[in-house]
Amino acid sequence: NIVILAAGAAKEWVKIDFTTTRNDNIGIVVYDVTGRLTDARQLYAQPGLNSTLLNISGYAAGIYFVTLNNGEQMITGKLVKN
């Protein structure tokens, strides 16, 4: 079970907070509004609150979609690059 707690508008870094109910490998992918893959990474999450930082300083200003996936559940949130 993945729940995104925070993501939003940023210029250089965005912190993504999420919770899980078990130890999990989490895939994080970022797409721009045209569907182009901008970033992809894997991380290991422990039960409870987890955080990761994304460096978005190289992204063009606009709207992006951040998807977290643990193989059973996929959650997508919106990110705005100022």
Side-chain angles (χ1 to χ4, degrees), residues 27-62:
I28 300 175
V29 292
V30 182
Y31 294 95
D32 66 15
V33 292
T34 67
R36 184 177 61 92
L37 179 66
T38 306
D39 194 1
R41 62 184 65 197
Q42 288 278 125
L43 62 95
Y44 182 75
Q46 297 181 343
L49 180 64
N50 293 267
S51 298
T52 189
L53 288 173
L54 294 178
N55 181 349
I56 61 168
S57 61
Y59 293 18

Side-chain angles (χ1 to χ4, degrees), residues 16-81:
I16 298 174
D17 295 323
F18 61 96
T19 60
T20 64
T21 57
R22 63 176 193 235
N23 293 327
D24 247 334
N25 287 313
I26 304 292
I28 300 175
V29 292
V30 182
Y31 294 95
D32 66 15
V33 292
T34 67
R36 184 177 61 92
L37 179 66
T38 306
D39 194 1
R41 62 184 65 197
Q42 288 278 125
L43 62 95
Y44 182 75
Q46 297 181 343
L49 180 64
N50 293 267
S51 298
T52 189
L53 288 173
L54 294 178
N55 181 349
I56 61 168
S57 61
Y59 293 18
I63 297 172
Y64 295 84
F65 298 97
V66 181
T67 300
L68 281 70
N69 185 346
N70 68 356
E72 295 176 7
Q73 184 181 12
M74 189 181 324
I75 302 291
T76 300
K78 184 169 74 169
L79 164 67
V80 178
K81 167 66 169 29

